Amino acid sequence: MTENSPREAPFAPQPRPAAGPPKAPDPAKEARKDDALKTLAPAPEHASRLSTPLEKLAETAKDYARGAKAENTNRAYAADWRHFSAWARRRGFSPLPPDSQVVGLYLAACASDAALGARGQALAVRSIERRLSALAWQFAQRGLKLDRHDRHIAEVMAGIRRKHGRPPDQKEAVLAVDLLAMLATLDHELRGLRDRAILLVGFAGGLRRSEIVGLDCGPGQTEDASGWAAIEKKGLLVQIKGKTGWREVEIGRGSSEATCPVAALERWLKFARISHGPLFRRVGGAKVGADRLTDKHVARLVQRTALAAGVRGDLSEGERKRKFAGHSLRAGLASSAEVDERYVQKQLGHASAEMTRRYQRRRDKFRVNLTKAAGL
């Protein structure tokens, strides 16, 4: 490819020269740049007339816009945007305004360049799809539109899916017998009581790790909560603000005190002297802090106790570390509960039975035999 290659050539956007005499501003480009700065902001001609209440309302609108997506999604999208911007600038491209050819080249690099991935491997297809979604969202926040159906993007993504697509790398399910062995590795100090309650409530509720640590003792107690739990006579009633809105999760009492998630939570709250605010908090020695645990603690807890209990001892330690995480609890409930599939679907908050089946690691996949049903 030469310096004089035509601009229309597929995947051949021209880098801007490193230096040169200043050019007269392009009116069309300047107009697009102005549009990019208008996200959730008043028009410039009205800015001087904004009253203090309207300024506060504009800030409130920004807060609502940021809250449209989960905090983890916002962090991931911000990281993806920084990654794309740095990649583009290193190659002499500007990240703004959106250029389908540049985005197509970036996606191809993510799929083929191991340096852009983790652990010396190119990004998986799902990670690349998320990065594309992140770019489209980031452009939209700047008042700009990325045409994901443009051939420079759509055809590259189709090729990536065809060449690199594979079944998702699912986390290992923690079954009930595994969970009991994991609980046995915990002591009965404050930290052990807390972690026992986390494992049992997370498993019985089929909760995501962010949903576990996001719980409060009641509604409206903290601003960063994603739900609350109410202990009742027959069990634990959990209200969760999830990906698709609010949902209610019912966690019944267990068959014994040792395996009951509600009893474990009651013991933790009693000895930690918690009656308001975050349900699961940091513990330092014999002192319980006020800070909410991060969701990473749940992933590390599942991984650590699974290793200590010898779950999947047939695998190497490195493989076991990669196979266990917070989602192992959700998959464990889906795989262990021998009830009608629709009840598991409701508990996990899935919109479709197909998604629930992805979590059922050890279900009888040939329970319905269409071959015999057809007469063969």
PDB file of all heavy atoms in Angstrom, residues 11 83-84 86-88 90-91 93 101-118 120-124 127-128 131 135 152 156-157 160 164:
ATOM      1  N   PHE A  11     -10.213  -0.764   4.073  1.00  0.00           N
ATOM      2  CA  PHE A  11      -9.286  -0.892   5.183  1.00  0.00           C
ATOM      3  C   PHE A  11      -7.964  -0.177   4.904  1.00  0.00           C
ATOM      4  O   PHE A  11      -6.899  -0.679   5.227  1.00  0.00           O
ATOM      5  CB  PHE A  11      -9.020  -2.362   5.523  1.00  0.00           C
ATOM      6  CG  PHE A  11     -10.284  -3.141   5.651  1.00  0.00           C
ATOM      7  CD1 PHE A  11     -10.602  -4.145   4.755  1.00  0.00           C
ATOM      8  CD2 PHE A  11     -11.180  -2.831   6.656  1.00  0.00           C
ATOM      9  CE1 PHE A  11     -11.787  -4.831   4.870  1.00  0.00           C
ATOM     10  CE2 PHE A  11     -12.362  -3.521   6.779  1.00  0.00           C
ATOM     11  CZ  PHE A  11     -12.674  -4.517   5.876  1.00  0.00           C
ATOM     12  N   HIS A  83      -8.527   2.030  25.427  1.00  0.00           N
ATOM     13  CA  HIS A  83      -7.713   1.099  24.646  1.00  0.00           C
ATOM     14  C   HIS A  83      -7.778   1.443  23.158  1.00  0.00           C
ATOM     15  O   HIS A  83      -6.747   1.497  22.472  1.00  0.00           O
ATOM     16  CB  HIS A  83      -8.211  -0.330  24.883  1.00  0.00           C
ATOM     17  CG  HIS A  83      -7.327  -1.384  24.315  1.00  0.00           C
ATOM     18  ND1 HIS A  83      -7.451  -1.828  23.002  1.00  0.00           N
ATOM     19  CD2 HIS A  83      -6.304  -2.085  24.852  1.00  0.00           C
ATOM     20  CE1 HIS A  83      -6.544  -2.761  22.779  1.00  0.00           C
ATOM     21  NE2 HIS A  83      -5.836  -2.940  23.875  1.00  0.00           N
ATOM     22  N   PHE A  84      -8.993   1.679  22.660  1.00  0.00           N
ATOM     23  CA  PHE A  84      -9.153   2.018  21.243  1.00  0.00           C
ATOM     24  C   PHE A  84      -8.473   3.345  20.928  1.00  0.00           C
ATOM     25  O   PHE A  84      -7.779   3.465  19.905  1.00  0.00           O
ATOM     26  CB  PHE A  84     -10.640   2.094  20.890  1.00  0.00           C
ATOM     27  CG  PHE A  84     -10.907   2.739  19.555  1.00  0.00           C
ATOM     28  CD1 PHE A  84     -10.605   2.082  18.370  1.00  0.00           C
ATOM     29  CD2 PHE A  84     -11.464   4.012  19.476  1.00  0.00           C
ATOM     30  CE1 PHE A  84     -10.837   2.673  17.131  1.00  0.00           C
ATOM     31  CE2 PHE A  84     -11.712   4.611  18.250  1.00  0.00           C
ATOM     32  CZ  PHE A  84     -11.389   3.945  17.076  1.00  0.00           C
ATOM     33  N   ALA A  86      -5.959   4.835  22.408  1.00  0.00           N
ATOM     34  CA  ALA A  86      -4.499   4.699  22.418  1.00  0.00           C
ATOM     35  C   ALA A  86      -4.015   3.960  21.177  1.00  0.00           C
ATOM     36  O   ALA A  86      -3.008   4.333  20.555  1.00  0.00           O
ATOM     37  CB  ALA A  86      -4.055   3.968  23.685  1.00  0.00           C
ATOM     38  N   TRP A  87      -4.738   2.893  20.796  1.00  0.00           N
ATOM     39  CA  TRP A  87      -4.363   2.118  19.602  1.00  0.00           C
ATOM     40  C   TRP A  87      -4.415   3.004  18.362  1.00  0.00           C
ATOM     41  O   TRP A  87      -3.506   2.976  17.524  1.00  0.00           O
ATOM     42  CB  TRP A  87      -5.306   0.927  19.442  1.00  0.00           C
ATOM     43  CG  TRP A  87      -5.049   0.112  18.209  1.00  0.00           C
ATOM     44  CD1 TRP A  87      -4.228  -0.965  18.077  1.00  0.00           C
ATOM     45  CD2 TRP A  87      -5.639   0.331  16.911  1.00  0.00           C
ATOM     46  NE1 TRP A  87      -4.250  -1.435  16.788  1.00  0.00           N
ATOM     47  CE2 TRP A  87      -5.109  -0.668  16.052  1.00  0.00           C
ATOM     48  CE3 TRP A  87      -6.549   1.253  16.402  1.00  0.00           C
ATOM     49  CZ2 TRP A  87      -5.466  -0.746  14.708  1.00  0.00           C
ATOM     50  CZ3 TRP A  87      -6.894   1.181  15.062  1.00  0.00           C
ATOM     51  CH2 TRP A  87      -6.368   0.185  14.226  1.00  0.00           C
ATOM     52  N   ALA A  88      -5.484   3.796  18.226  1.00  0.00           N
ATOM     53  CA  ALA A  88      -5.649   4.645  17.042  1.00  0.00           C
ATOM     54  C   ALA A  88      -4.545   5.704  16.968  1.00  0.00           C
ATOM     55  O   ALA A  88      -3.948   5.914  15.902  1.00  0.00           O
ATOM     56  CB  ALA A  88      -7.027   5.307  17.073  1.00  0.00           C
ATOM     57  N   ARG A  90      -1.558   5.653  18.260  1.00  0.00           N
ATOM     58  CA  ARG A  90      -0.239   5.074  17.972  1.00  0.00           C
ATOM     59  C   ARG A  90      -0.043   4.842  16.481  1.00  0.00           C
ATOM     60  O   ARG A  90       1.092   4.802  15.992  1.00  0.00           O
ATOM     61  CB  ARG A  90      -0.068   3.752  18.728  1.00  0.00           C
ATOM     62  CG  ARG A  90       0.215   3.911  20.197  1.00  0.00           C
ATOM     63  CD  ARG A  90       0.781   2.621  20.790  1.00  0.00           C
ATOM     64  NE  ARG A  90      -0.103   1.479  20.596  1.00  0.00           N
ATOM     65  CZ  ARG A  90      -1.042   1.104  21.448  1.00  0.00           C
ATOM     66  NH1 ARG A  90      -1.242   1.824  22.565  1.00  0.00           N
ATOM     67  NH2 ARG A  90      -1.792   0.041  21.213  1.00  0.00           N
ATOM     68  N   ARG A  91      -1.141   4.683  15.765  1.00  0.00           N
ATOM     69  CA  ARG A  91      -1.054   4.428  14.325  1.00  0.00           C
ATOM     70  C   ARG A  91      -1.389   5.656  13.483  1.00  0.00           C
ATOM     71  O   ARG A  91      -1.579   5.564  12.276  1.00  0.00           O
ATOM     72  CB  ARG A  91      -1.979   3.259  13.967  1.00  0.00           C
ATOM     73  CG  ARG A  91      -1.375   1.938  14.401  1.00  0.00           C
ATOM     74  CD  ARG A  91      -2.402   0.888  14.709  1.00  0.00           C
ATOM     75  NE  ARG A  91      -1.751  -0.337  15.172  1.00  0.00           N
ATOM     76  CZ  ARG A  91      -1.304  -0.513  16.417  1.00  0.00           C
ATOM     77  NH1 ARG A  91      -1.457   0.457  17.317  1.00  0.00           N
ATOM     78  NH2 ARG A  91      -0.708  -1.633  16.779  1.00  0.00           N
ATOM     79  N   PHE A  93      -4.071   7.645  13.623  1.00  0.00           N
ATOM     80  CA  PHE A  93      -5.474   7.920  13.368  1.00  0.00           C
ATOM     81  C   PHE A  93      -6.067   8.726  14.520  1.00  0.00           C
ATOM     82  O   PHE A  93      -5.574   8.679  15.648  1.00  0.00           O
ATOM     83  CB  PHE A  93      -6.280   6.623  13.218  1.00  0.00           C
ATOM     84  CG  PHE A  93      -5.766   5.702  12.142  1.00  0.00           C
ATOM     85  CD1 PHE A  93      -5.519   4.365  12.414  1.00  0.00           C
ATOM     86  CD2 PHE A  93      -5.537   6.179  10.859  1.00  0.00           C
ATOM     87  CE1 PHE A  93      -5.049   3.518  11.432  1.00  0.00           C
ATOM     88  CE2 PHE A  93      -5.064   5.336   9.872  1.00  0.00           C
ATOM     89  CZ  PHE A  93      -4.814   4.001  10.148  1.00  0.00           C
ATOM     90  N   GLN A 101     -13.646   2.387   8.734  1.00  0.00           N
ATOM     91  CA  GLN A 101     -12.435   1.687   8.312  1.00  0.00           C
ATOM     92  C   GLN A 101     -11.463   1.528   9.477  1.00  0.00           C
ATOM     93  O   GLN A 101     -10.877   0.461   9.674  1.00  0.00           O
ATOM     94  CB  GLN A 101     -11.769   2.446   7.174  1.00  0.00           C
ATOM     95  CG  GLN A 101     -12.532   2.371   5.862  1.00  0.00           C
ATOM     96  CD  GLN A 101     -11.823   3.146   4.764  1.00  0.00           C
ATOM     97  OE1 GLN A 101     -11.425   4.295   4.966  1.00  0.00           O
ATOM     98  NE2 GLN A 101     -11.656   2.526   3.624  1.00  0.00           N
ATOM     99  N   VAL A 102     -11.296   2.584  10.262  1.00  0.00           N
ATOM    100  CA  VAL A 102     -10.393   2.523  11.415  1.00  0.00           C
ATOM    101  C   VAL A 102     -10.925   1.519  12.434  1.00  0.00           C
ATOM    102  O   VAL A 102     -10.164   0.707  12.982  1.00  0.00           O
ATOM    103  CB  VAL A 102     -10.242   3.918  12.055  1.00  0.00           C
ATOM    104  CG1 VAL A 102      -9.455   3.823  13.364  1.00  0.00           C
ATOM    105  CG2 VAL A 102      -9.548   4.875  11.090  1.00  0.00           C
ATOM    106  N   VAL A 103     -12.221   1.542  12.700  1.00  0.00           N
ATOM    107  CA  VAL A 103     -12.803   0.595  13.651  1.00  0.00           C
ATOM    108  C   VAL A 103     -12.643  -0.834  13.142  1.00  0.00           C
ATOM    109  O   VAL A 103     -12.336  -1.752  13.911  1.00  0.00           O
ATOM    110  CB  VAL A 103     -14.291   0.924  13.904  1.00  0.00           C
ATOM    111  CG1 VAL A 103     -14.950  -0.157  14.758  1.00  0.00           C
ATOM    112  CG2 VAL A 103     -14.426   2.279  14.591  1.00  0.00           C
ATOM    113  N   GLY A 104     -12.833  -1.039  11.835  1.00  0.00           N
ATOM    114  CA  GLY A 104     -12.655  -2.371  11.268  1.00  0.00           C
ATOM    115  C   GLY A 104     -11.226  -2.880  11.446  1.00  0.00           C
ATOM    116  O   GLY A 104     -11.001  -4.046  11.776  1.00  0.00           O
ATOM    117  N   LEU A 105     -10.251  -1.999  11.231  1.00  0.00           N
ATOM    118  CA  LEU A 105      -8.851  -2.384  11.437  1.00  0.00           C
ATOM    119  C   LEU A 105      -8.594  -2.720  12.905  1.00  0.00           C
ATOM    120  O   LEU A 105      -7.864  -3.664  13.219  1.00  0.00           O
ATOM    121  CB  LEU A 105      -7.938  -1.246  10.992  1.00  0.00           C
ATOM    122  CG  LEU A 105      -7.824  -0.998   9.486  1.00  0.00           C
ATOM    123  CD1 LEU A 105      -7.015   0.263   9.219  1.00  0.00           C
ATOM    124  CD2 LEU A 105      -7.188  -2.191   8.789  1.00  0.00           C
ATOM    125  N   TYR A 106      -9.187  -1.947  13.790  1.00  0.00           N
ATOM    126  CA  TYR A 106      -9.006  -2.186  15.229  1.00  0.00           C
ATOM    127  C   TYR A 106      -9.560  -3.546  15.621  1.00  0.00           C
ATOM    128  O   TYR A 106      -8.925  -4.307  16.365  1.00  0.00           O
ATOM    129  CB  TYR A 106      -9.697  -1.075  16.013  1.00  0.00           C
ATOM    130  CG  TYR A 106      -9.728  -1.312  17.504  1.00  0.00           C
ATOM    131  CD1 TYR A 106      -8.561  -1.254  18.269  1.00  0.00           C
ATOM    132  CD2 TYR A 106     -10.926  -1.587  18.151  1.00  0.00           C
ATOM    133  CE1 TYR A 106      -8.593  -1.470  19.641  1.00  0.00           C
ATOM    134  CE2 TYR A 106     -10.968  -1.818  19.515  1.00  0.00           C
ATOM    135  CZ  TYR A 106      -9.793  -1.747  20.257  1.00  0.00           C
ATOM    136  OH  TYR A 106      -9.833  -1.968  21.618  1.00  0.00           O
ATOM    137  N   LEU A 107     -10.748  -3.884  15.136  1.00  0.00           N
ATOM    138  CA  LEU A 107     -11.351  -5.178  15.453  1.00  0.00           C
ATOM    139  C   LEU A 107     -10.492  -6.321  14.928  1.00  0.00           C
ATOM    140  O   LEU A 107     -10.301  -7.347  15.603  1.00  0.00           O
ATOM    141  CB  LEU A 107     -12.756  -5.258  14.854  1.00  0.00           C
ATOM    142  CG  LEU A 107     -13.770  -4.235  15.378  1.00  0.00           C
ATOM    143  CD1 LEU A 107     -15.084  -4.357  14.605  1.00  0.00           C
ATOM    144  CD2 LEU A 107     -14.005  -4.403  16.865  1.00  0.00           C
ATOM    145  N   ALA A 108      -9.955  -6.148  13.716  1.00  0.00           N
ATOM    146  CA  ALA A 108      -9.082  -7.181  13.155  1.00  0.00           C
ATOM    147  C   ALA A 108      -7.825  -7.356  13.999  1.00  0.00           C
ATOM    148  O   ALA A 108      -7.356  -8.472  14.223  1.00  0.00           O
ATOM    149  CB  ALA A 108      -8.715  -6.822  11.716  1.00  0.00           C
ATOM    150  N   ALA A 109      -7.291  -6.236  14.495  1.00  0.00           N
ATOM    151  CA  ALA A 109      -6.104  -6.309  15.351  1.00  0.00           C
ATOM    152  C   ALA A 109      -6.415  -7.027  16.657  1.00  0.00           C
ATOM    153  O   ALA A 109      -5.608  -7.825  17.140  1.00  0.00           O
ATOM    154  CB  ALA A 109      -5.585  -4.902  15.628  1.00  0.00           C
ATOM    155  N   CYS A 110      -7.580  -6.766  17.234  1.00  0.00           N
ATOM    156  CA  CYS A 110      -7.975  -7.428  18.482  1.00  0.00           C
ATOM    157  C   CYS A 110      -8.060  -8.941  18.308  1.00  0.00           C
ATOM    158  O   CYS A 110      -7.750  -9.705  19.226  1.00  0.00           O
ATOM    159  CB  CYS A 110      -9.323  -6.894  18.966  1.00  0.00           C
ATOM    160  SG  CYS A 110      -9.264  -5.200  19.602  1.00  0.00           S
ATOM    161  N   ALA A 111      -8.486  -9.374  17.123  1.00  0.00           N
ATOM    162  CA  ALA A 111      -8.652 -10.807  16.876  1.00  0.00           C
ATOM    163  C   ALA A 111      -7.353 -11.499  16.508  1.00  0.00           C
ATOM    164  O   ALA A 111      -7.229 -12.714  16.675  1.00  0.00           O
ATOM    165  CB  ALA A 111      -9.684 -11.026  15.773  1.00  0.00           C
ATOM    166  N   SER A 112      -6.356 -10.745  16.017  1.00  0.00           N
ATOM    167  CA  SER A 112      -5.147 -11.382  15.486  1.00  0.00           C
ATOM    168  C   SER A 112      -3.879 -11.052  16.254  1.00  0.00           C
ATOM    169  O   SER A 112      -2.891 -11.780  16.151  1.00  0.00           O
ATOM    170  CB  SER A 112      -4.956 -10.973  14.020  1.00  0.00           C
ATOM    171  OG  SER A 112      -4.836  -9.558  13.912  1.00  0.00           O
ATOM    172  N   ASP A 113      -3.901  -9.976  17.024  1.00  0.00           N
ATOM    173  CA  ASP A 113      -2.694  -9.532  17.724  1.00  0.00           C
ATOM    174  C   ASP A 113      -2.751  -9.964  19.182  1.00  0.00           C
ATOM    175  O   ASP A 113      -3.552  -9.439  19.968  1.00  0.00           O
ATOM    176  CB  ASP A 113      -2.567  -8.007  17.614  1.00  0.00           C
ATOM    177  CG  ASP A 113      -1.224  -7.502  18.130  1.00  0.00           C
ATOM    178  OD1 ASP A 113      -0.493  -8.292  18.768  1.00  0.00           O
ATOM    179  OD2 ASP A 113      -0.909  -6.328  17.906  1.00  0.00           O
ATOM    180  N   ALA A 114      -1.903 -10.909  19.559  1.00  0.00           N
ATOM    181  CA  ALA A 114      -1.907 -11.414  20.935  1.00  0.00           C
ATOM    182  C   ALA A 114      -1.552 -10.328  21.935  1.00  0.00           C
ATOM    183  O   ALA A 114      -1.950 -10.398  23.098  1.00  0.00           O
ATOM    184  CB  ALA A 114      -0.934 -12.589  21.065  1.00  0.00           C
ATOM    185  N   ALA A 115      -0.829  -9.306  21.504  1.00  0.00           N
ATOM    186  CA  ALA A 115      -0.425  -8.237  22.418  1.00  0.00           C
ATOM    187  C   ALA A 115      -1.616  -7.413  22.900  1.00  0.00           C
ATOM    188  O   ALA A 115      -1.532  -6.728  23.921  1.00  0.00           O
ATOM    189  CB  ALA A 115       0.590  -7.323  21.730  1.00  0.00           C
ATOM    190  N   LEU A 116      -2.731  -7.472  22.188  1.00  0.00           N
ATOM    191  CA  LEU A 116      -3.913  -6.699  22.575  1.00  0.00           C
ATOM    192  C   LEU A 116      -4.817  -7.473  23.526  1.00  0.00           C
ATOM    193  O   LEU A 116      -5.807  -6.933  24.014  1.00  0.00           O
ATOM    194  CB  LEU A 116      -4.715  -6.292  21.338  1.00  0.00           C
ATOM    195  CG  LEU A 116      -3.992  -5.380  20.341  1.00  0.00           C
ATOM    196  CD1 LEU A 116      -4.932  -4.985  19.216  1.00  0.00           C
ATOM    197  CD2 LEU A 116      -3.449  -4.146  21.032  1.00  0.00           C
ATOM    198  N   GLY A 117      -4.519  -8.737  23.773  1.00  0.00           N
ATOM    199  CA  GLY A 117      -5.335  -9.556  24.658  1.00  0.00           C
ATOM    200  C   GLY A 117      -4.668  -9.785  25.994  1.00  0.00           C
ATOM    201  O   GLY A 117      -3.721  -9.091  26.376  1.00  0.00           O
ATOM    202  N   ALA A 118      -5.162 -10.776  26.713  1.00  0.00           N
ATOM    203  CA  ALA A 118      -4.616 -11.122  28.026  1.00  0.00           C
ATOM    204  C   ALA A 118      -3.963 -12.489  27.954  1.00  0.00           C
ATOM    205  O   ALA A 118      -4.316 -13.317  27.116  1.00  0.00           O
ATOM    206  CB  ALA A 118      -5.732 -11.126  29.077  1.00  0.00           C
ATOM    207  N   GLY A 120      -1.219 -13.415  26.817  1.00  0.00           N
ATOM    208  CA  GLY A 120      -0.533 -13.729  25.569  1.00  0.00           C
ATOM    209  C   GLY A 120      -1.419 -14.299  24.492  1.00  0.00           C
ATOM    210  O   GLY A 120      -0.935 -14.956  23.572  1.00  0.00           O
ATOM    211  N   GLN A 121      -2.732 -14.052  24.578  1.00  0.00           N
ATOM    212  CA  GLN A 121      -3.669 -14.566  23.585  1.00  0.00           C
ATOM    213  C   GLN A 121      -4.510 -13.427  23.024  1.00  0.00           C
ATOM    214  O   GLN A 121      -4.800 -12.453  23.723  1.00  0.00           O
ATOM    215  CB  GLN A 121      -4.592 -15.618  24.202  1.00  0.00           C
ATOM    216  CG  GLN A 121      -3.877 -16.866  24.700  1.00  0.00           C
ATOM    217  CD  GLN A 121      -4.838 -17.846  25.336  1.00  0.00           C
ATOM    218  OE1 GLN A 121      -5.946 -17.488  25.724  1.00  0.00           O
ATOM    219  NE2 GLN A 121      -4.416 -19.100  25.440  1.00  0.00           N
ATOM    220  N   ALA A 122      -4.885 -13.539  21.754  1.00  0.00           N
ATOM    221  CA  ALA A 122      -5.778 -12.554  21.154  1.00  0.00           C
ATOM    222  C   ALA A 122      -7.135 -12.616  21.854  1.00  0.00           C
ATOM    223  O   ALA A 122      -7.481 -13.608  22.497  1.00  0.00           O
ATOM    224  CB  ALA A 122      -5.933 -12.825  19.659  1.00  0.00           C
ATOM    225  N   LEU A 123      -7.880 -11.551  21.745  1.00  0.00           N
ATOM    226  CA  LEU A 123      -9.175 -11.477  22.424  1.00  0.00           C
ATOM    227  C   LEU A 123     -10.163 -12.498  21.879  1.00  0.00           C
ATOM    228  O   LEU A 123     -10.158 -12.811  20.687  1.00  0.00           O
ATOM    229  CB  LEU A 123      -9.772 -10.074  22.261  1.00  0.00           C
ATOM    230  CG  LEU A 123      -9.099  -8.952  23.051  1.00  0.00           C
ATOM    231  CD1 LEU A 123      -9.732  -7.623  22.673  1.00  0.00           C
ATOM    232  CD2 LEU A 123      -9.223  -9.187  24.545  1.00  0.00           C
ATOM    233  N   ALA A 124     -11.025 -12.998  22.757  1.00  0.00           N
ATOM    234  CA  ALA A 124     -12.091 -13.897  22.335  1.00  0.00           C
ATOM    235  C   ALA A 124     -13.155 -13.108  21.588  1.00  0.00           C
ATOM    236  O   ALA A 124     -13.250 -11.883  21.700  1.00  0.00           O
ATOM    237  CB  ALA A 124     -12.701 -14.592  23.552  1.00  0.00           C
ATOM    238  N   SER A 127     -15.369 -10.890  23.704  1.00  0.00           N
ATOM    239  CA  SER A 127     -14.685  -9.686  24.169  1.00  0.00           C
ATOM    240  C   SER A 127     -14.625  -8.639  23.062  1.00  0.00           C
ATOM    241  O   SER A 127     -14.781  -7.436  23.308  1.00  0.00           O
ATOM    242  CB  SER A 127     -13.271 -10.025  24.648  1.00  0.00           C
ATOM    243  OG  SER A 127     -13.305 -10.916  25.742  1.00  0.00           O
ATOM    244  N   ILE A 128     -14.402  -9.091  21.837  1.00  0.00           N
ATOM    245  CA  ILE A 128     -14.361  -8.158  20.703  1.00  0.00           C
ATOM    246  C   ILE A 128     -15.742  -7.563  20.466  1.00  0.00           C
ATOM    247  O   ILE A 128     -15.879  -6.362  20.182  1.00  0.00           O
ATOM    248  CB  ILE A 128     -13.851  -8.885  19.445  1.00  0.00           C
ATOM    249  CG1 ILE A 128     -12.412  -9.360  19.661  1.00  0.00           C
ATOM    250  CG2 ILE A 128     -13.926  -7.971  18.222  1.00  0.00           C
ATOM    251  CD1 ILE A 128     -11.870 -10.226  18.549  1.00  0.00           C
ATOM    252  N   ARG A 131     -16.267  -4.890  22.933  1.00  0.00           N
ATOM    253  CA  ARG A 131     -15.524  -3.674  22.604  1.00  0.00           C
ATOM    254  C   ARG A 131     -16.221  -2.886  21.511  1.00  0.00           C
ATOM    255  O   ARG A 131     -16.259  -1.655  21.551  1.00  0.00           O
ATOM    256  CB  ARG A 131     -14.094  -4.026  22.189  1.00  0.00           C
ATOM    257  CG  ARG A 131     -13.245  -4.464  23.355  1.00  0.00           C
ATOM    258  CD  ARG A 131     -11.769  -4.398  23.072  1.00  0.00           C
ATOM    259  NE  ARG A 131     -11.008  -4.723  24.281  1.00  0.00           N
ATOM    260  CZ  ARG A 131      -9.694  -4.748  24.363  1.00  0.00           C
ATOM    261  NH1 ARG A 131      -8.974  -4.475  23.276  1.00  0.00           N
ATOM    262  NH2 ARG A 131      -9.077  -5.037  25.493  1.00  0.00           N
ATOM    263  N   LEU A 135     -17.572   0.939  21.865  1.00  0.00           N
ATOM    264  CA  LEU A 135     -17.255   2.045  20.964  1.00  0.00           C
ATOM    265  C   LEU A 135     -18.521   2.724  20.464  1.00  0.00           C
ATOM    266  O   LEU A 135     -18.603   3.957  20.427  1.00  0.00           O
ATOM    267  CB  LEU A 135     -16.414   1.537  19.784  1.00  0.00           C
ATOM    268  CG  LEU A 135     -15.026   0.975  20.111  1.00  0.00           C
ATOM    269  CD1 LEU A 135     -14.286   0.628  18.830  1.00  0.00           C
ATOM    270  CD2 LEU A 135     -14.228   1.946  20.948  1.00  0.00           C
ATOM    271  N   HIS A 152     -17.109  -2.355   6.335  1.00  0.00           N
ATOM    272  CA  HIS A 152     -15.785  -2.415   6.949  1.00  0.00           C
ATOM    273  C   HIS A 152     -15.842  -2.967   8.370  1.00  0.00           C
ATOM    274  O   HIS A 152     -14.832  -3.458   8.885  1.00  0.00           O
ATOM    275  CB  HIS A 152     -15.142  -1.022   6.965  1.00  0.00           C
ATOM    276  CG  HIS A 152     -14.881  -0.469   5.606  1.00  0.00           C
ATOM    277  ND1 HIS A 152     -15.751   0.425   4.998  1.00  0.00           N
ATOM    278  CD2 HIS A 152     -13.867  -0.691   4.722  1.00  0.00           C
ATOM    279  CE1 HIS A 152     -15.266   0.737   3.808  1.00  0.00           C
ATOM    280  NE2 HIS A 152     -14.127   0.075   3.613  1.00  0.00           N
ATOM    281  N   VAL A 156     -15.885  -7.663   8.697  1.00  0.00           N
ATOM    282  CA  VAL A 156     -14.783  -8.064   9.575  1.00  0.00           C
ATOM    283  C   VAL A 156     -15.310  -8.891  10.747  1.00  0.00           C
ATOM    284  O   VAL A 156     -14.761  -9.945  11.090  1.00  0.00           O
ATOM    285  CB  VAL A 156     -14.008  -6.830  10.076  1.00  0.00           C
ATOM    286  CG1 VAL A 156     -13.052  -7.212  11.208  1.00  0.00           C
ATOM    287  CG2 VAL A 156     -13.217  -6.208   8.930  1.00  0.00           C
ATOM    288  N   MET A 157     -16.401  -8.433  11.364  1.00  0.00           N
ATOM    289  CA  MET A 157     -16.965  -9.171  12.506  1.00  0.00           C
ATOM    290  C   MET A 157     -17.481 -10.532  12.070  1.00  0.00           C
ATOM    291  O   MET A 157     -17.329 -11.521  12.799  1.00  0.00           O
ATOM    292  CB  MET A 157     -18.090  -8.370  13.151  1.00  0.00           C
ATOM    293  CG  MET A 157     -17.617  -7.260  14.085  1.00  0.00           C
ATOM    294  SD  MET A 157     -16.465  -7.802  15.372  1.00  0.00           S
ATOM    295  CE  MET A 157     -17.379  -9.132  16.140  1.00  0.00           C
ATOM    296  N   ILE A 160     -14.489 -12.731  11.777  1.00  0.00           N
ATOM    297  CA  ILE A 160     -13.947 -13.063  13.098  1.00  0.00           C
ATOM    298  C   ILE A 160     -14.789 -14.144  13.756  1.00  0.00           C
ATOM    299  O   ILE A 160     -14.270 -15.113  14.320  1.00  0.00           O
ATOM    300  CB  ILE A 160     -13.888 -11.792  13.982  1.00  0.00           C
ATOM    301  CG1 ILE A 160     -12.799 -10.838  13.474  1.00  0.00           C
ATOM    302  CG2 ILE A 160     -13.623 -12.162  15.440  1.00  0.00           C
ATOM    303  CD1 ILE A 160     -12.768  -9.500  14.170  1.00  0.00           C
ATOM    304  N   HIS A 164     -12.904 -17.545  14.472  1.00  0.00           N
ATOM    305  CA  HIS A 164     -12.471 -17.665  15.870  1.00  0.00           C
ATOM    306  C   HIS A 164     -13.603 -18.044  16.830  1.00  0.00           C
ATOM    307  O   HIS A 164     -13.344 -18.243  18.018  1.00  0.00           O
ATOM    308  CB  HIS A 164     -11.846 -16.357  16.343  1.00  0.00           C
ATOM    309  CG  HIS A 164     -10.648 -15.937  15.545  1.00  0.00           C
ATOM    310  ND1 HIS A 164      -9.441 -16.596  15.599  1.00  0.00           N
ATOM    311  CD2 HIS A 164     -10.487 -14.917  14.653  1.00  0.00           C
ATOM    312  CE1 HIS A 164      -8.576 -16.001  14.790  1.00  0.00           C
ATOM    313  NE2 HIS A 164      -9.183 -14.982  14.203  1.00  0.00           N
TER     314      HIS A 164
END
